Amino acid sequence: MTSTPPADLKYTAEHEWLRAGDPATVGITHVAADALGDVVYLELPAEGASVVAGAVVGEIESTKSVSELYSPVTGTVVAVNQAAVDDPAIVNADPYGDGWLFTVQVEATGALLDADAYAALA
């Protein structure tokens, strides 16, 4: 697992990442996963749900705390990572890969940072 944010992703100040695509993929950063500790439960938006950039779309529960999950984009949820819901430890093990959270058909993006700006913030 790398703590350097991948350059091909965009980031929010709340530690979510966005991989551009059709649909786009959303997850949480290594910084967030590390700060949370062992992730034990994910509450993610349902397939077909509308999400709004900057709005709360779910929760991530760890052995330390419960944190809100924010959407980096506005659009419609296309898919949810059921493997991560079933085994939330995947989020800690591979936050930028198998630990992705959901995909969105993007209508608009929120305020996003590139990897350098996120690294400076984190």
mmCIF file of all heavy atoms in Angstrom, residues 43-51 57 76-80 102-103:
data_model
loop_
_atom_site.group_PDB
_atom_site.id
_atom_site.type_symbol
_atom_site.label_atom_id
_atom_site.label_comp_id
_atom_site.label_asym_id
_atom_site.label_seq_id
_atom_site.Cartn_x
_atom_site.Cartn_y
_atom_site.Cartn_z
ATOM 1 N N GLU A 43 -21.430 1.947 4.838
ATOM 2 C CA GLU A 43 -22.789 2.280 4.401
ATOM 3 C C GLU A 43 -22.623 3.133 3.159
ATOM 4 O O GLU A 43 -22.160 4.279 3.239
ATOM 5 C CB GLU A 43 -23.539 3.056 5.479
ATOM 6 C CG GLU A 43 -24.949 3.431 5.069
ATOM 7 C CD GLU A 43 -25.621 4.303 6.101
ATOM 8 O OE1 GLU A 43 -25.665 3.901 7.276
ATOM 9 O OE2 GLU A 43 -26.105 5.394 5.727
ATOM 10 N N LEU A 44 -22.947 2.561 2.001
ATOM 11 C CA LEU A 44 -22.733 3.231 0.728
ATOM 12 C C LEU A 44 -24.064 3.556 0.068
ATOM 13 O O LEU A 44 -25.082 2.938 0.377
ATOM 14 C CB LEU A 44 -21.906 2.318 -0.198
ATOM 15 C CG LEU A 44 -20.530 1.904 0.348
ATOM 16 C CD1 LEU A 44 -19.853 0.942 -0.620
ATOM 17 C CD2 LEU A 44 -19.659 3.121 0.600
ATOM 18 N N PRO A 45 -24.063 4.519 -0.874
ATOM 19 C CA PRO A 45 -25.310 4.834 -1.568
ATOM 20 C C PRO A 45 -25.755 3.642 -2.410
ATOM 21 O O PRO A 45 -24.930 2.848 -2.876
ATOM 22 C CB PRO A 45 -24.936 6.032 -2.446
ATOM 23 C CG PRO A 45 -23.458 5.925 -2.625
ATOM 24 C CD PRO A 45 -22.935 5.315 -1.357
ATOM 25 N N ALA A 46 -27.042 3.510 -2.617
ATOM 26 C CA ALA A 46 -27.596 2.399 -3.396
ATOM 27 C C ALA A 46 -27.408 2.641 -4.888
ATOM 28 O O ALA A 46 -27.348 3.795 -5.338
ATOM 29 C CB ALA A 46 -29.083 2.249 -3.089
ATOM 30 N N GLU A 47 -27.320 1.557 -5.644
ATOM 31 C CA GLU A 47 -27.295 1.674 -7.096
ATOM 32 C C GLU A 47 -28.549 2.416 -7.532
ATOM 33 O O GLU A 47 -29.643 2.168 -7.033
ATOM 34 C CB GLU A 47 -27.232 0.296 -7.745
ATOM 35 C CG GLU A 47 -25.900 -0.390 -7.546
ATOM 36 C CD GLU A 47 -25.835 -1.760 -8.202
ATOM 37 O OE1 GLU A 47 -26.651 -2.050 -9.109
ATOM 38 O OE2 GLU A 47 -24.969 -2.557 -7.794
ATOM 39 N N GLY A 48 -28.379 3.368 -8.439
ATOM 40 C CA GLY A 48 -29.501 4.167 -8.920
ATOM 41 C C GLY A 48 -29.739 5.432 -8.118
ATOM 42 O O GLY A 48 -30.527 6.287 -8.528
ATOM 43 N N ALA A 49 -29.066 5.569 -6.978
ATOM 44 C CA ALA A 49 -29.242 6.757 -6.136
ATOM 45 C C ALA A 49 -28.587 7.976 -6.787
ATOM 46 O O ALA A 49 -27.561 7.858 -7.455
ATOM 47 C CB ALA A 49 -28.635 6.529 -4.758
ATOM 48 N N SER A 50 -29.180 9.126 -6.578
ATOM 49 C CA SER A 50 -28.574 10.380 -7.016
ATOM 50 C C SER A 50 -27.670 10.890 -5.907
ATOM 51 O O SER A 50 -28.053 10.857 -4.731
ATOM 52 C CB SER A 50 -29.644 11.425 -7.310
ATOM 53 O OG SER A 50 -30.422 11.021 -8.415
ATOM 54 N N VAL A 51 -26.470 11.338 -6.280
ATOM 55 C CA VAL A 51 -25.538 11.906 -5.316
ATOM 56 C C VAL A 51 -25.177 13.318 -5.767
ATOM 57 O O VAL A 51 -25.235 13.632 -6.951
ATOM 58 C CB VAL A 51 -24.263 11.038 -5.150
ATOM 59 C CG1 VAL A 51 -24.605 9.681 -4.544
ATOM 60 C CG2 VAL A 51 -23.533 10.851 -6.472
ATOM 61 N N VAL A 57 -22.929 10.904 1.481
ATOM 62 C CA VAL A 57 -23.568 9.809 0.744
ATOM 63 C C VAL A 57 -23.481 8.477 1.484
ATOM 64 O O VAL A 57 -23.983 7.470 1.006
ATOM 65 C CB VAL A 57 -22.974 9.652 -0.671
ATOM 66 C CG1 VAL A 57 -23.288 10.872 -1.512
ATOM 67 C CG2 VAL A 57 -21.482 9.382 -0.622
ATOM 68 N N THR A 76 -25.408 9.848 -10.846
ATOM 69 C CA THR A 76 -26.185 8.673 -10.463
ATOM 70 C C THR A 76 -25.253 7.506 -10.192
ATOM 71 O O THR A 76 -24.372 7.213 -11.013
ATOM 72 C CB THR A 76 -27.170 8.290 -11.591
ATOM 73 O OG1 THR A 76 -28.004 9.425 -11.865
ATOM 74 C CG2 THR A 76 -28.035 7.113 -11.190
ATOM 75 N N VAL A 77 -25.449 6.844 -9.063
ATOM 76 C CA VAL A 77 -24.627 5.690 -8.698
ATOM 77 C C VAL A 77 -24.940 4.541 -9.651
ATOM 78 O O VAL A 77 -26.096 4.153 -9.810
ATOM 79 C CB VAL A 77 -24.875 5.276 -7.229
ATOM 80 C CG1 VAL A 77 -24.094 4.008 -6.890
ATOM 81 C CG2 VAL A 77 -24.502 6.413 -6.290
ATOM 82 N N VAL A 78 -23.891 4.006 -10.268
ATOM 83 C CA VAL A 78 -24.038 2.911 -11.233
ATOM 84 C C VAL A 78 -23.808 1.559 -10.556
ATOM 85 O O VAL A 78 -24.519 0.600 -10.802
ATOM 86 C CB VAL A 78 -23.056 3.098 -12.411
ATOM 87 C CG1 VAL A 78 -23.097 1.909 -13.358
ATOM 88 C CG2 VAL A 78 -23.348 4.400 -13.145
ATOM 89 N N ALA A 79 -22.788 1.507 -9.685
ATOM 90 C CA ALA A 79 -22.451 0.245 -9.026
ATOM 91 C C ALA A 79 -21.856 0.527 -7.655
ATOM 92 O O ALA A 79 -21.272 1.585 -7.418
ATOM 93 C CB ALA A 79 -21.454 -0.554 -9.862
ATOM 94 N N VAL A 80 -22.027 -0.454 -6.766
ATOM 95 C CA VAL A 80 -21.453 -0.411 -5.421
ATOM 96 C C VAL A 80 -20.510 -1.602 -5.303
ATOM 97 O O VAL A 80 -20.806 -2.689 -5.806
ATOM 98 C CB VAL A 80 -22.564 -0.477 -4.355
ATOM 99 C CG1 VAL A 80 -21.996 -0.602 -2.957
ATOM 100 C CG2 VAL A 80 -23.459 0.751 -4.455
ATOM 101 N N PHE A 102 -17.736 3.021 -4.893
ATOM 102 C CA PHE A 102 -18.864 3.013 -5.828
ATOM 103 C C PHE A 102 -18.480 3.735 -7.112
ATOM 104 O O PHE A 102 -17.489 4.451 -7.152
ATOM 105 C CB PHE A 102 -20.127 3.625 -5.203
ATOM 106 C CG PHE A 102 -20.002 5.051 -4.732
ATOM 107 C CD1 PHE A 102 -20.389 6.111 -5.542
ATOM 108 C CD2 PHE A 102 -19.523 5.344 -3.462
ATOM 109 C CE1 PHE A 102 -20.280 7.423 -5.105
ATOM 110 C CE2 PHE A 102 -19.422 6.653 -3.006
ATOM 111 C CZ PHE A 102 -19.798 7.693 -3.843
ATOM 112 N N THR A 103 -19.276 3.504 -8.160
ATOM 113 C CA THR A 103 -19.069 4.201 -9.425
ATOM 114 C C THR A 103 -20.269 5.096 -9.703
ATOM 115 O O THR A 103 -21.381 4.808 -9.259
ATOM 116 C CB THR A 103 -18.846 3.231 -10.600
ATOM 117 O OG1 THR A 103 -20.004 2.420 -10.768
ATOM 118 C CG2 THR A 103 -17.621 2.356 -10.370
#
